Amino acid sequence: MEAVLWYVFTGTRGGENRARILRALDERPRNANQLADDLDLDYKTVRHHLEVLGDNGIVENSGDDYGAVYFPTDRVRDHWDAVEEIVEHVE
């Protein structure tokens, strides 16, 4: 899991926004529109990053595509210390 986290947050463009999105979702689950408003990011940018995070098993959603609520996976919560360490490198 740590290798995936390093890749997603430091190995590709957009790591900083992905870190912001994951931290926001750690505070409370949100949908893409709420994330865009709360983080002052473009909606399409948020959707793209959610897709990357989802494809890598970092976040999951409630199942409904439009208005789906996202939250960190149990797997990433099990590695939260690694997340914090890696995110420090992108901020």
Side-chain angles (χ1 to χ4, degrees):
M1 183 75 199
E2 283 191 42
V4 170
L5 293 169
W6 278 105
Y7 169 74
V8 168
F9 293 111
T10 66
T12 60
R13 290 179 52 187
E16 185 174 341
N17 281 334
R18 288 184 198 125
R20 292 178 64 210
I21 289 169
L22 184 58
R23 283 188 186 272
L25 294 176
D26 182 47
E27 292 175 13
R28 65 177 171 86
R30 303 171 211 222
N31 65 33
N33 193 45
Q34 291 168 325
L35 284 166
D37 287 345
D38 293 347
L39 300 176
D40 196 27
L41 292 172
D42 180 76
Y43 176 79
K44 288 183 180 179
T45 299
V46 169
R47 295 288 303 181
H48 166 73
H49 290 305
L50 286 172
E51 185 175 327
V52 172
L53 292 168
D55 287 348
N56 286 284
I58 297 170
V59 299
E60 57 189 338
N61 66 44
S62 60
D64 180 33
D65 193 35
Y66 182 79
V69 175
Y70 291 82
F71 45 90
T73 63
D74 289 340
R75 186 173 173 215
V76 82
R77 287 196 184 281
D78 290 343
H79 294 86
W80 199 256
D81 289 344
V83 170
E84 292 290 343
E85 177 188 342
I86 293 165
V87 166
E88 285 181 21
H89 290 275
V90 296
E91 295 178 328

Coordinates of all heavy atoms in Angstrom, one line a residue:
M1 N 0.8 -1.2 0.0 CA 0.0 0.0 0.0 C 0.9 1.3 0.0 O 0.5 2.2 -0.6 CB -0.9 0.0 1.2 CG -1.9 1.2 1.3 SD -3.2 0.9 0.1 CE -3.9 2.5 -0.1
E2 N 2.0 1.2 0.7 CA 2.8 2.4 0.8 C 3.3 2.8 -0.6 O 3.4 4.0 -0.9 CB 4.0 2.2 1.8 CG 3.6 2.3 3.2 CD 4.8 2.4 4.1 OE1 5.7 3.1 3.8 OE2 4.7 1.8 5.2
A3 N 3.7 1.9 -1.4 CA 4.2 2.2 -2.7 C 3.1 2.9 -3.6 O 3.4 3.9 -4.3 CB 4.6 0.9 -3.5
V4 N 1.9 2.4 -3.4 CA 0.7 3.1 -4.1 C 0.6 4.5 -3.6 O 0.4 5.4 -4.4 CB -0.6 2.3 -3.9 CG1 -1.8 3.0 -4.4 CG2 -0.5 0.9 -4.6
L5 N 0.7 4.7 -2.3 CA 0.5 6.0 -1.7 C 1.6 7.0 -2.2 O 1.3 8.1 -2.6 CB 0.5 6.0 -0.2 CG -0.7 5.2 0.4 CD1 -0.5 5.0 1.9 CD2 -2.0 6.0 0.2
W6 N 2.8 6.5 -2.2 CA 3.9 7.3 -2.7 C 3.7 7.7 -4.2 O 3.9 8.9 -4.6 CB 5.3 6.6 -2.6 CG 5.9 6.7 -1.2 CD1 5.9 5.7 -0.3 CD2 6.5 7.9 -0.6 NE1 6.5 6.2 0.9 CE2 6.9 7.5 0.7 CE3 6.7 9.2 -1.1 CZ2 7.5 8.4 1.5 CZ3 7.4 10.1 -0.2 CH2 7.7 9.7 1.1
Y7 N 3.3 6.7 -5.0 CA 3.0 7.0 -6.4 C 1.9 8.0 -6.6 O 2.1 9.0 -7.3 CB 2.6 5.7 -7.1 CG 2.1 6.0 -8.5 CD1 3.0 6.3 -9.6 CD2 0.7 5.8 -8.8 CE1 2.5 6.6 -10.8 CE2 0.2 6.1 -10.1 CZ 1.1 6.5 -11.1 OH 0.6 6.7 -12.3
V8 N 0.8 7.9 -5.9 CA -0.4 8.7 -6.1 C -0.1 10.2 -5.6 O -0.6 11.1 -6.2 CB -1.6 8.1 -5.4 CG1 -2.8 9.1 -5.3 CG2 -2.0 6.9 -6.1
F9 N 0.6 10.3 -4.5 CA 0.8 11.6 -4.0 C 2.1 12.3 -4.4 O 2.2 13.5 -4.4 CB 0.8 11.6 -2.4 CG -0.6 11.2 -1.9 CD1 -0.9 10.0 -1.3 CD2 -1.7 12.1 -2.1 CE1 -2.1 9.6 -0.9 CE2 -3.0 11.8 -1.7 CZ -3.2 10.5 -1.1
T10 N 3.1 11.6 -4.8 CA 4.4 12.2 -5.1 C 4.9 11.9 -6.5 O 5.7 12.6 -7.1 CB 5.5 11.9 -4.1 OG1 5.8 10.5 -4.2 CG2 5.1 12.3 -2.7
G11 N 4.4 10.8 -7.1 CA 4.9 10.3 -8.4 C 4.2 10.9 -9.6 O 4.6 10.7 -10.7
T12 N 3.1 11.6 -9.4 CA 2.3 12.1 -10.5 C 1.9 13.6 -10.2 O 1.9 14.0 -9.1 CB 1.1 11.3 -10.8 OG1 0.2 11.3 -9.6 CG2 1.4 9.8 -11.2
R13 N 1.5 14.3 -11.3 CA 1.0 15.6 -11.0 C -0.3 15.6 -10.3 O -1.1 14.7 -10.4 CB 0.8 16.3 -12.4 CG 2.1 16.7 -13.1 CD 1.8 17.3 -14.4 NE 0.9 18.5 -14.3 CZ 0.4 19.2 -15.2 NH1 0.7 18.8 -16.5 NH2 -0.4 20.2 -15.0
G14 N -0.5 16.6 -9.5 CA -1.8 16.6 -8.7 C -1.8 16.1 -7.4 O -2.8 16.0 -6.7
G15 N -0.6 15.7 -6.9 CA -0.5 15.1 -5.6 C -1.0 16.0 -4.5 O -1.6 15.5 -3.5
E16 N -0.7 17.3 -4.6 CA -1.1 18.2 -3.6 C -2.6 18.3 -3.4 O -3.2 18.3 -2.3 CB -0.5 19.6 -3.8 CG -0.8 20.6 -2.7 CD -0.1 21.9 -3.0 OE1 0.8 22.0 -3.8 OE2 -0.5 22.9 -2.4
N17 N -3.3 18.4 -4.6 CA -4.7 18.4 -4.5 C -5.3 17.1 -4.0 O -6.3 17.1 -3.3 CB -5.3 18.7 -5.9 CG -5.2 20.2 -6.2 OD1 -5.2 21.0 -5.3 ND2 -5.2 20.6 -7.5
R18 N -4.7 16.0 -4.4 CA -5.2 14.7 -3.9 C -5.0 14.6 -2.4 O -5.9 14.1 -1.7 CB -4.4 13.5 -4.6 CG -4.8 13.4 -6.0 CD -4.1 12.2 -6.7 NE -4.3 12.4 -8.1 CZ -3.3 12.4 -8.9 NH1 -2.0 12.1 -8.5 NH2 -3.4 12.6 -10.2
A19 N -3.9 15.1 -1.9 CA -3.7 15.2 -0.4 C -4.8 16.0 0.2 O -5.4 15.6 1.3 CB -2.3 15.7 -0.1
R20 N -5.1 17.2 -0.3 CA -6.1 18.0 0.2 C -7.5 17.3 0.2 O -8.3 17.4 1.2 CB -6.2 19.3 -0.6 CG -5.0 20.2 -0.5 CD -5.2 21.5 -1.3 NE -6.3 22.3 -0.9 CZ -7.0 23.1 -1.7 NH1 -6.7 23.2 -3.0 NH2 -8.0 23.8 -1.2
I21 N -7.8 16.6 -0.9 CA -9.1 15.9 -1.0 C -9.1 14.8 0.1 O -10.1 14.7 0.8 CB -9.3 15.4 -2.4 CG1 -9.5 16.5 -3.4 CG2 -10.4 14.3 -2.4 CD1 -9.5 16.1 -4.8
L22 N -8.1 14.0 0.2 CA -8.1 12.9 1.2 C -8.2 13.5 2.6 O -9.0 12.9 3.4 CB -6.8 12.1 1.1 CG -6.8 10.9 1.9 CD1 -8.0 9.9 1.7 CD2 -5.5 10.1 1.8
R23 N -7.5 14.6 2.9 CA -7.7 15.2 4.3 C -9.1 15.6 4.5 O -9.7 15.4 5.6 CB -6.7 16.3 4.5 CG -5.3 15.9 4.7 CD -4.4 17.1 5.1 NE -3.0 16.7 5.2 CZ -2.5 16.3 6.3 NH1 -3.2 16.2 7.4 NH2 -1.2 16.0 6.3
A24 N -9.7 16.2 3.5 CA -11.1 16.7 3.7 C -12.0 15.5 3.9 O -12.9 15.6 4.7 CB -11.5 17.5 2.4
L25 N -11.8 14.4 3.2 CA -12.7 13.3 3.3 C -12.4 12.6 4.6 O -13.3 11.9 5.2 CB -12.4 12.3 2.2 CG -12.9 12.8 0.8 CD1 -12.5 11.8 -0.3 CD2 -14.3 13.1 0.8
D26 N -11.2 12.7 5.2 CA -11.0 12.2 6.5 C -11.8 12.9 7.6 O -12.2 12.3 8.6 CB -9.5 12.2 6.8 CG -9.1 11.6 8.2 OD1 -9.6 10.5 8.4 OD2 -8.4 12.3 8.9
E27 N -12.0 14.2 7.4 CA -12.8 15.0 8.3 C -14.2 14.5 8.3 O -14.9 14.4 9.3 CB -12.7 16.5 8.0 CG -11.4 17.1 8.2 CD -11.4 18.6 7.7 OE1 -12.5 19.1 7.4 OE2 -10.3 19.1 7.5
R28 N -14.8 14.4 7.1 CA -16.1 13.9 6.9 C -16.4 13.5 5.4 O -15.8 14.1 4.5 CB -17.2 14.9 7.4 CG -17.2 16.1 6.5 CD -18.4 17.1 7.0 NE -18.3 18.3 6.4 CZ -18.8 18.6 5.2 NH1 -19.5 17.7 4.6 NH2 -18.7 19.8 4.7
P29 N -17.2 12.5 5.2 CA -17.5 12.1 3.8 C -18.2 13.3 3.1 O -18.9 14.1 3.7 CB -18.4 10.9 3.9 CG -18.2 10.4 5.3 CD -17.8 11.6 6.1
R30 N -17.9 13.4 1.8 CA -18.5 14.5 1.0 C -18.6 14.0 -0.5 O -17.9 13.1 -0.9 CB -17.6 15.7 0.9 CG -17.2 16.3 2.3 CD -16.2 17.4 2.2 NE -15.4 17.4 3.4 CZ -15.0 18.4 4.0 NH1 -15.3 19.6 3.5 NH2 -14.2 18.4 5.1
N31 N -19.5 14.7 -1.2 CA -19.6 14.4 -2.7 C -18.6 15.3 -3.4 O -18.0 16.3 -2.8 CB -21.0 14.5 -3.2 CG -21.6 15.8 -3.1 OD1 -20.9 16.9 -3.2 ND2 -22.9 15.9 -2.8
A32 N -18.5 15.1 -4.7 CA -17.5 15.9 -5.5 C -17.9 17.4 -5.5 O -17.0 18.2 -5.5 CB -17.5 15.4 -6.9
N33 N -19.1 17.7 -5.6 CA -19.5 19.1 -5.6 C -19.2 19.8 -4.3 O -18.6 20.9 -4.2 CB -21.0 19.2 -5.8 CG -21.4 20.6 -6.2 OD1 -20.7 21.3 -6.9 ND2 -22.5 21.1 -5.6
Q34 N -19.4 19.1 -3.1 CA -19.0 19.7 -1.8 C -17.5 19.9 -1.7 O -17.0 20.9 -1.2 CB -19.5 18.8 -0.7 CG -21.0 18.7 -0.6 CD -21.5 17.6 0.3 OE1 -20.9 16.5 0.3 NE2 -22.6 17.9 1.0
L35 N -16.8 18.9 -2.2 CA -15.3 19.0 -2.2 C -14.8 20.2 -3.0 O -14.0 20.9 -2.6 CB -14.7 17.7 -2.7 CG -14.7 16.5 -1.8 CD1 -14.3 15.2 -2.5 CD2 -13.7 16.8 -0.6
A36 N -15.4 20.3 -4.2 CA -15.0 21.5 -5.1 C -15.3 22.8 -4.4 O -14.4 23.7 -4.4 CB -15.8 21.4 -6.4
D37 N -16.4 22.9 -3.7 CA -16.8 24.2 -3.0 C -15.8 24.4 -1.8 O -15.3 25.4 -1.6 CB -18.2 24.2 -2.6 CG -19.2 24.3 -3.7 OD1 -18.8 24.8 -4.8 OD2 -20.4 24.0 -3.4
D38 N -15.7 23.3 -1.0 CA -14.9 23.5 0.2 C -13.4 23.7 0.0 O -12.8 24.4 0.8 CB -15.1 22.2 1.1 CG -16.5 22.0 1.6 OD1 -17.3 23.0 1.5 OD2 -16.8 20.9 2.1
L39 N -12.9 23.1 -1.1 CA -11.5 23.2 -1.4 C -11.2 24.3 -2.5 O -10.0 24.5 -2.8 CB -10.9 21.9 -1.8 CG -11.1 20.8 -0.8 CD1 -10.6 19.4 -1.4 CD2 -10.3 21.1 0.5
D40 N -12.2 25.0 -3.0 CA -12.1 26.0 -4.0 C -11.3 25.4 -5.2 O -10.3 26.0 -5.7 CB -11.3 27.2 -3.5 CG -11.5 28.4 -4.4 OD1 -12.5 28.5 -5.1 OD2 -10.6 29.3 -4.3
L41 N -11.8 24.2 -5.7 CA -11.2 23.6 -6.8 C -12.3 23.4 -7.9 O -13.5 23.4 -7.6 CB -10.7 22.2 -6.5 CG -9.5 22.1 -5.6 CD1 -9.2 20.7 -5.2 CD2 -8.2 22.7 -6.3
D42 N -11.9 23.3 -9.1 CA -12.9 23.1 -10.2 C -13.5 21.7 -10.0 O -12.8 20.7 -9.7 CB -12.1 23.1 -11.6 CG -13.0 22.9 -12.7 OD1 -13.8 23.8 -13.1 OD2 -13.0 21.8 -13.3
Y43 N -14.8 21.6 -10.3 CA -15.5 20.3 -10.2 C -14.9 19.2 -11.0 O -14.7 18.1 -10.5 CB -17.0 20.5 -10.6 CG -17.8 19.3 -10.5 CD1 -18.3 18.8 -9.3 CD2 -18.1 18.6 -11.7 CE1 -19.1 17.6 -9.3 CE2 -18.8 17.4 -11.7 CZ -19.3 16.9 -10.5 OH -20.1 15.8 -10.5
K44 N -14.5 19.5 -12.2 CA -13.9 18.4 -13.0 C -12.5 18.0 -12.5 O -12.2 16.8 -12.6 CB -13.8 18.9 -14.5 CG -15.1 19.0 -15.2 CD -14.9 19.4 -16.6 CE -16.2 19.5 -17.4 NZ -16.1 20.0 -18.8
T45 N -11.8 18.9 -11.9 CA -10.5 18.6 -11.3 C -10.8 17.6 -10.1 O -10.1 16.6 -10.0 CB -9.8 19.9 -10.8 OG1 -9.6 20.7 -11.9 CG2 -8.5 19.6 -10.1
V46 N -11.8 17.9 -9.3 CA -12.1 17.1 -8.2 C -12.5 15.7 -8.7 O -12.0 14.7 -8.2 CB -13.2 17.7 -7.3 CG1 -13.7 16.7 -6.3 CG2 -12.7 18.9 -6.6
R47 N -13.3 15.6 -9.7 CA -13.8 14.3 -10.2 C -12.6 13.5 -10.7 O -12.5 12.3 -10.5 CB -14.8 14.5 -11.4 CG -16.1 15.2 -11.0 CD -17.0 14.2 -10.2 NE -17.2 13.0 -10.9 CZ -18.0 12.1 -10.5 NH1 -18.6 12.2 -9.3 NH2 -18.2 11.0 -11.2
H48 N -11.7 14.2 -11.4 CA -10.5 13.5 -11.9 C -9.7 12.9 -10.8 O -9.3 11.7 -10.8 CB -9.6 14.5 -12.7 CG -8.2 13.9 -13.0 ND1 -8.0 12.9 -13.9 CD2 -7.0 14.2 -12.4 CE1 -6.7 12.6 -13.9 NE2 -6.1 13.4 -13.0
H49 N -9.4 13.7 -9.7 CA -8.6 13.2 -8.6 C -9.4 12.1 -7.8 O -8.7 11.2 -7.4 CB -8.2 14.4 -7.7 CG -7.2 15.3 -8.3 ND1 -6.0 14.8 -8.8 CD2 -7.3 16.6 -8.5 CE1 -5.3 15.9 -9.3 NE2 -6.1 17.0 -9.1
L50 N -10.7 12.2 -7.7 CA -11.4 11.1 -7.0 C -11.3 9.9 -7.8 O -11.2 8.8 -7.2 CB -12.9 11.6 -6.9 CG -13.2 12.6 -5.8 CD1 -14.6 13.1 -5.9 CD2 -12.9 12.1 -4.4
E51 N -11.3 10.0 -9.1 CA -11.2 8.8 -10.0 C -9.8 8.1 -9.8 O -9.7 6.9 -9.6 CB -11.3 9.1 -11.5 CG -11.3 7.9 -12.4 CD -11.6 8.3 -13.8 OE1 -12.4 9.2 -14.0 OE2 -11.1 7.6 -14.7
V52 N -8.7 8.9 -9.7 CA -7.4 8.4 -9.5 C -7.3 7.8 -8.1 O -6.8 6.7 -7.9 CB -6.3 9.5 -9.6 CG1 -4.9 9.1 -9.2 CG2 -6.3 10.1 -11.1
L53 N -7.8 8.5 -7.1 CA -7.8 7.9 -5.7 C -8.6 6.6 -5.6 O -8.2 5.7 -5.0 CB -8.4 9.0 -4.7 CG -7.5 10.2 -4.5 CD1 -8.2 11.3 -3.8 CD2 -6.2 9.9 -3.8
G54 N -9.8 6.6 -6.3 CA -10.6 5.4 -6.3 C -9.9 4.2 -7.1 O -10.0 3.1 -6.6
D55 N -9.3 4.5 -8.2 CA -8.6 3.5 -9.0 C -7.5 2.8 -8.2 O -7.1 1.7 -8.5 CB -8.1 4.0 -10.3 CG -9.2 4.3 -11.3 OD1 -10.3 3.9 -11.1 OD2 -8.9 5.0 -12.3
N56 N -7.0 3.6 -7.2 CA -5.8 3.1 -6.5 C -6.2 2.6 -5.1 O -5.4 2.4 -4.2 CB -4.7 4.2 -6.4 CG -4.0 4.3 -7.7 OD1 -3.2 3.5 -8.0 ND2 -4.4 5.3 -8.5
G57 N -7.5 2.5 -4.8 CA -8.0 1.9 -3.6 C -7.8 2.8 -2.4 O -7.8 2.4 -1.2
I58 N -7.8 4.1 -2.6 CA -7.6 5.1 -1.5 C -8.9 5.6 -1.0 O -9.0 5.9 0.2 CB -6.6 6.2 -1.9 CG1 -5.2 5.6 -2.3 CG2 -6.5 7.3 -0.9 CD1 -4.2 6.5 -2.9
V59 N -9.8 5.9 -1.9 CA -11.2 6.3 -1.5 C -12.2 5.4 -2.2 O -11.9 4.7 -3.2 CB -11.5 7.8 -1.9 CG1 -10.5 8.7 -1.2 CG2 -11.5 8.0 -3.4
E60 N -13.4 5.3 -1.6 CA -14.5 4.6 -2.2 C -15.7 5.5 -2.1 O -15.7 6.5 -1.4 CB -14.7 3.3 -1.6 CG -15.0 3.3 -0.1 CD -14.9 1.9 0.5 OE1 -15.1 0.9 -0.2 OE2 -14.7 1.9 1.8
N61 N -16.8 5.2 -2.9 CA -17.9 6.0 -2.8 C -19.2 5.2 -2.4 O -19.1 4.0 -2.3 CB -18.2 6.8 -4.1 CG -18.5 5.8 -5.3 OD1 -19.3 4.9 -5.1 ND2 -17.8 6.0 -6.4
S62 N -20.2 6.0 -2.2 CA -21.5 5.3 -1.7 C -22.2 4.6 -2.8 O -23.2 3.9 -2.5 CB -22.4 6.4 -1.1 OG -22.7 7.4 -2.1
G63 N -21.7 4.6 -4.0 CA -22.3 3.8 -5.1 C -23.1 4.6 -6.2 O -23.0 4.2 -7.3
D64 N -23.7 5.6 -5.8 CA -24.5 6.4 -6.8 C -23.6 7.4 -7.4 O -22.9 8.2 -6.8 CB -25.6 7.1 -6.1 CG -26.5 8.0 -7.0 OD1 -26.6 7.5 -8.2 OD2 -26.9 9.0 -6.6
D65 N -23.4 7.3 -8.8 CA -22.4 8.2 -9.5 C -22.7 9.6 -9.2 O -21.8 10.4 -8.8 CB -22.4 7.9 -11.0 CG -21.2 8.4 -11.6 OD1 -20.1 8.5 -11.0 OD2 -21.4 8.9 -12.8
Y66 N -23.9 10.2 -9.5 CA -24.2 11.6 -9.3 C -24.5 11.8 -7.8 O -25.4 11.2 -7.3 CB -25.3 12.1 -10.2 CG -25.6 13.5 -10.0 CD1 -24.7 14.5 -10.7 CD2 -26.6 14.0 -9.2 CE1 -24.9 15.8 -10.5 CE2 -26.8 15.3 -9.0 CZ -26.0 16.3 -9.7 OH -26.2 17.6 -9.5
G67 N -23.8 12.6 -7.2 CA -24.0 12.9 -5.8 C -23.4 11.8 -4.9 O -23.7 11.9 -3.7
A68 N -22.6 10.9 -5.4 CA -22.0 9.9 -4.6 C -21.1 10.5 -3.5 O -20.4 11.5 -3.8 CB -21.2 9.0 -5.4
V69 N -21.2 10.0 -2.3 CA -20.4 10.5 -1.2 C -19.1 9.6 -1.1 O -19.2 8.4 -1.2 CB -21.2 10.4 0.1 CG1 -20.3 10.7 1.3 CG2 -22.4 11.3 0.0
Y70 N -18.0 10.3 -1.0 CA -16.7 9.6 -1.0 C -16.1 9.6 0.5 O -16.4 10.5 1.2 CB -15.7 10.3 -1.9 CG -16.1 10.1 -3.3 CD1 -17.0 11.0 -3.9 CD2 -15.5 9.1 -4.1 CE1 -17.4 10.8 -5.3 CE2 -15.8 9.0 -5.4 CZ -16.7 9.8 -6.0 OH -17.1 9.7 -7.3
F71 N -15.3 8.6 0.7 CA -14.7 8.4 2.0 C -13.4 7.6 1.9 O -13.4 6.8 0.9 CB -15.7 7.9 3.1 CG -16.4 6.7 2.6 CD1 -16.0 5.4 2.8 CD2 -17.7 6.9 2.0 CE1 -16.7 4.3 2.3 CE2 -18.4 5.8 1.6 CZ -17.9 4.5 1.7
P72 N -12.5 7.7 2.8 CA -11.3 6.9 2.7 C -11.6 5.4 2.9 O -12.5 5.0 3.7 CB -10.4 7.4 3.9 CG -10.9 8.7 4.2 CD -12.4 8.7 3.9
T73 N -10.9 4.5 2.2 CA -11.1 3.1 2.4 C -10.6 2.6 3.7 O -9.7 3.3 4.3 CB -10.5 2.3 1.2 OG1 -9.0 2.5 1.3 CG2 -11.0 2.7 -0.1
D74 N -11.1 1.5 4.1 CA -10.5 0.9 5.4 C -9.0 0.6 5.2 O -8.3 0.7 6.1 CB -11.3 -0.4 5.7 CG -12.7 -0.2 6.2 OD1 -13.0 0.9 6.6 OD2 -13.5 -1.1 6.1
R75 N -8.7 0.2 4.0 CA -7.3 -0.1 3.7 C -6.4 1.1 3.9 O -5.3 1.0 4.5 CB -7.1 -0.7 2.3 CG -5.8 -1.2 1.9 CD -5.8 -1.8 0.5 NE -4.5 -2.1 0.1 CZ -4.1 -2.1 -1.1 NH1 -4.9 -1.7 -2.1 NH2 -2.8 -2.4 -1.4
V76 N -6.8 2.2 3.4 CA -5.9 3.4 3.6 C -6.0 3.9 5.1 O -5.0 4.4 5.6 CB -6.3 4.5 2.6 CG1 -7.5 5.3 3.1 CG2 -5.1 5.5 2.4
R77 N -7.1 3.7 5.8 CA -7.1 4.0 7.2 C -6.2 3.2 8.0 O -5.6 3.6 9.0 CB -8.5 3.9 7.7 CG -9.5 5.0 7.3 CD -10.7 5.1 8.1 NE -11.6 6.1 7.6 CZ -11.5 7.4 7.8 NH1 -10.5 7.8 8.5 NH2 -12.4 8.2 7.3
D78 N -6.0 1.9 7.6 CA -5.0 1.0 8.2 C -3.6 1.5 8.0 O -2.7 1.1 8.8 CB -5.2 -0.4 7.7 CG -6.5 -1.1 8.1 OD1 -7.1 -0.6 9.1 OD2 -6.8 -2.1 7.5
H79 N -3.4 2.3 7.0 CA -2.0 2.8 6.7 C -2.0 4.3 6.9 O -1.2 5.0 6.3 CB -1.6 2.5 5.3 CG -1.4 1.0 5.1 ND1 -2.5 0.2 4.8 CD2 -0.4 0.2 5.2 CE1 -2.1 -1.1 4.7 NE2 -0.8 -1.1 4.9
W80 N -2.8 4.9 7.8 CA -2.9 6.3 8.0 C -1.6 7.0 8.4 O -1.3 8.1 8.0 CB -4.0 6.7 8.9 CG -4.4 8.1 8.7 CD1 -4.1 9.2 9.5 CD2 -5.1 8.6 7.6 NE1 -4.6 10.4 8.9 CE2 -5.2 10.0 7.7 CE3 -5.7 8.0 6.4 CZ2 -5.9 10.9 6.8 CZ3 -6.3 8.9 5.5 CH2 -6.4 10.2 5.7
D81 N -0.7 6.3 9.2 CA 0.6 6.9 9.6 C 1.4 7.1 8.3 O 2.1 8.1 8.2 CB 1.3 5.9 10.5 CG 0.7 5.9 11.9 OD1 -0.1 6.9 12.2 OD2 1.0 5.0 12.7
A82 N 1.4 6.2 7.4 CA 2.1 6.3 6.1 C 1.5 7.5 5.3 O 2.3 8.2 4.7 CB 2.1 5.0 5.3
V83 N 0.2 7.6 5.3 CA -0.4 8.7 4.6 C 0.1 10.0 5.1 O 0.5 10.9 4.3 CB -2.0 8.6 4.7 CG1 -2.6 9.9 4.2 CG2 -2.5 7.4 4.0
E84 N 0.1 10.2 6.4 CA 0.5 11.4 7.0 C 2.0 11.7 6.7 O 2.3 12.9 6.3 CB 0.4 11.4 8.5 CG -1.1 11.3 9.0 CD -1.8 12.7 8.8 OE1 -1.1 13.7 8.6 OE2 -3.0 12.6 8.8
E85 N 2.8 10.7 6.7 CA 4.2 10.9 6.4 C 4.4 11.3 4.9 O 5.2 12.2 4.6 CB 5.0 9.6 6.6 CG 6.5 9.7 6.3 CD 7.2 8.3 6.4 OE1 6.7 7.4 7.0 OE2 8.3 8.2 5.7
I86 N 3.7 10.6 4.0 CA 3.9 10.9 2.6 C 3.3 12.3 2.3 O 3.9 13.1 1.5 CB 3.2 9.8 1.8 CG1 4.0 8.5 2.0 CG2 3.1 10.2 0.3 CD1 3.3 7.3 1.5
V87 N 2.2 12.6 2.8 CA 1.5 13.9 2.6 C 2.4 15.1 3.0 O 2.4 16.1 2.4 CB 0.1 14.0 3.2 CG1 -0.4 15.4 3.2 CG2 -0.8 13.0 2.5
E88 N 3.2 14.9 4.0 CA 4.1 15.9 4.5 C 5.1 16.3 3.3 O 5.5 17.4 3.2 CB 4.9 15.5 5.7 CG 4.1 15.5 7.0 CD 5.0 15.1 8.1 OE1 6.2 15.2 8.0 OE2 4.4 14.7 9.1
H89 N 5.4 15.4 2.5 CA 6.3 15.6 1.4 C 5.7 16.4 0.2 O 6.4 16.9 -0.6 CB 6.9 14.3 0.8 CG 7.8 13.6 1.8 ND1 9.1 13.9 1.9 CD2 7.6 12.7 2.7 CE1 9.7 13.2 2.8 NE2 8.8 12.4 3.4
V90 N 4.4 16.4 0.1 CA 3.8 17.2 -1.0 C 3.2 18.5 -0.6 O 2.8 19.3 -1.4 CB 2.6 16.3 -1.6 CG1 3.1 15.1 -2.2 CG2 1.5 16.1 -0.6
E91 N 3.2 18.8 0.7 CA 2.7 20.1 1.2 C 3.8 21.1 1.3 O 4.9 20.9 1.4 CB 2.0 20.0 2.5 CG 0.7 19.1 2.4 CD 0.0 18.9 3.8 OE1 0.7 18.8 4.8 OE2 -1.2 18.7 3.7

